[in-house]
Amino acid sequence: MAEKIAPHLKNELTIVSCKSTVPVGTNKEIEKVLMQKKTKNAKIAVASCPEFLREGTAISDTINADRVVIGSPSKKAVSTLLKLHEPVAGKRVITNLASAELIKYTANAMLANKISFANLISFYCEKIGADVENVLDAVGLDKRIGRIFMDPGVGYGGSCFPKDVKALINTGKHFQIDTSMLDAVETINAQTRTNFLNKFYENVKGKNIAIWGLSFKPDTDDIRFAASIDIINALLQKNYYITAYDPVAMINIKKIFERKIVYANSACNAVERADALLILTEWNEFKQIDLKKVKALMKHPLIFDGRNIYKPKTMKELGFIYHSTGRQSIT
């Protein structure tokens, strides 16, 4: 098998390096299969070299990496991969296969945990009259904690966090490890959307609803596990009429909802005669929009901000009824 992969390198070591995020133990299985199938004289080494790229900033993340993780039992494979990564910035972490696999899952689970923790604190804030942004800003000044990724809202989505948290839970259950903490991360993430919808149902009388933001985060058209899908499905079940807008993700959302909702050609077009506006993705376009114009276009100046992109004081001065996450509503 190895000779078929590289027939001109019969006397050289063939390195099989896995960049994908795979369950712990996958690379050992790859190594096992290759060793069983290879020809007698073929030399093979398996390595795990996970990527840490964010959607929308992948090129920058490649060049300016925080770390390069290389896991392999082969010193030759490690040295070769180190040389291959010389043009790339970042601290080098040399470890074994299992550790390299677990590093990627741990990183994504930690980021998902920070988001869910921020949302948990937002639940407290709404009950006791605190401001979640003030709370988290102050907590984030502690250098041991930091503020990055402690963003309350309608929860995480995308292709990585939901999948990787679930995979880490499944791995834990396989090894009889208590995964209660990770179970709570998933539960809180779902609760954020339920709480957002409940706030909406309690305060909206009309049926014409505008939605800004369909992708799971800005700077991508990815809608996998996006909050927008859960929220649109819930609203359709209650017979709301939805007009949605996203700078790049509408083509993908059309594949799911087809003609069940209306697709606007601009943010302002989406809010015309709307009884309420829901903001689900924090695109810069929405942060910089002329809010006076938005108010004039809406039937009712009612906004539910699932990403806390505006300041309550500003919204009050403009005359909006404004509901955000973990902050007192402006009515």
Side-chain angles (χ1 to χ4, degrees):
M1 189 174 194
E3 291 182 355
K4 291 181 180 179
I5 295 172
H8 60 295
L9 298 176
K10 291 183 180 180
N11 296 318
E12 298 291 334
L13 178 68
T14 297
I15 301 168
V16 178
S17 179
C18 181
K19 295 290 290 181
S20 299
T21 304
V22 294
V24 176
T26 299
N27 282 287
K28 273 290 185 183
E29 288 300 313
I30 292 173
E31 184 179 54
K32 181 180 177 180
V33 170
L34 289 174
M35 291 305 171
Q36 289 174 345
K37 300 295 183 179
K38 76 178 185 69
T39 56
K40 182 178 179 180
N41 296 323
K43 300 176 182 179
I44 297 176
V46 173
S48 176
C49 190
E51 50 82 14
F52 299 89
L53 310 181
R54 297 168 295 171
E55 288 190 49
T57 58
I59 294 175
S60 175
D61 291 344
T62 298
I63 299 170
N64 304 299
D66 295 320
R67 71 284 208 195
V68 173
V69 176
I70 300 171
S72 179
S74 167
K75 291 182 179 180
K76 176 66 174 176
V78 169
S79 63
T80 301
L81 288 168
L82 282 171
K83 187 168 183 60
L84 182 66
H85 284 86
E86 281 180 358
V88 177
K91 184 177 179 63
R92 272 49 179 165
V93 179
I94 309 304
T95 185
N96 60 21
L97 288 172
S99 296
E101 292 168 333
L102 189 58
I103 285 167
K104 179 60 184 287
Y105 277 109
T106 303
N108 282 348
M110 175 58 73
L111 293 174
N113 181 68
K114 292 188 77 172
I115 294 171
S116 283
F117 183 78
N119 277 312
L120 176 62
I121 298 305
S122 79
F123 300 162
Y124 281 88
C125 290
E126 291 185 1
K127 293 292 185 181
I128 67 175
D131 186 310
V132 72
E133 299 296 343
N134 290 340
V135 171
L136 295 178
D137 283 345
V139 170
L141 292 174
D142 187 325
K143 294 178 182 178
R144 297 169 302 171
I145 299 172
R147 182 64 162 88
I148 297 175
F149 256 82
M150 286 206 298
D151 298 313
V154 286
Y156 60 77
S159 64
C160 293
F161 291 0
K163 168 181 66 66
D164 292 353
V165 170
K166 193 171 293 294
L168 205 52
I169 289 171
N170 290 337
T171 299
K173 293 187 185 306
H174 176 76
F175 288 105
Q176 298 182 325
I177 297 169
D178 187 344
T179 62
S180 298
M181 182 177 178
L182 294 173
D183 294 334
V185 169
E186 283 197 314
T187 299
I188 292 169
N189 197 58
Q191 285 177 346
T192 61
R193 296 169 190 184
T194 300
N195 288 3
F196 183 79
L197 282 165
N198 287 341
K199 194 183 305 179
F200 169 85
Y201 297 141
E202 291 169 4
N203 292 279
V204 175
K205 294 181 180 179
K207 286 289 187 178
N208 294 316
I209 309 304
I211 291 180
W212 284 355
L214 301 169
S215 56
F216 85 92
K217 72 171 188 176
D219 302 317
T220 178
D221 65 354
D222 195 342
I223 60 169
R224 286 174 288 182
F225 298 100
S228 62
I229 296 174
D230 293 336
I231 289 170
I232 290 173
N233 274 322
L235 295 180
L236 288 175
Q237 288 177 9
K238 291 184 176 291
N239 299 317
Y240 285 95
Y241 303 101
I242 299 169
T243 301
Y245 171 75
D246 186 284
V248 299
M250 287 196 292
I251 292 176
N252 290 333
I253 214 76
K254 282 180 182 179
K255 296 174 184 177
I256 297 175
F257 294 106
E258 298 177 336
R259 297 183 181 180
K260 294 178 182 178
I261 66 175
V262 176
Y263 307 92
N265 56 23
S266 71
C268 285
N269 178 246
V271 300
E272 288 185 37
R273 302 297 297 164
D275 292 304
L277 166 63
L278 280 62
I279 302 173
L280 305 181
T281 313
E282 63 275 32
W283 286 95
N284 283 333
E285 178 180 344
F286 307 149
K287 296 177 183 179
Q288 299 164 3
I289 202 164
D290 183 345
L291 289 170
K292 290 182 180 179
K293 182 178 180 181
V294 170
K295 184 187 175 191
L297 289 168
M298 296 182 70
K299 184 177 181 181
H300 297 112
L302 176 57
I303 294 180
F304 296 85
D305 185 353
R307 297 297 182 183
N308 286 3
I309 66 174
Y310 303 129
K311 294 181 178 180
K313 181 181 178 182
T314 300
M315 303 307 282
K316 183 176 182 178
E317 291 172 352
L318 291 171
F320 281 98
I321 299 170
Y322 181 66
H323 300 273
S324 53
T325 300
R327 302 185 293 188
Q328 296 306 292
S329 297
I330 302 299
T331 57

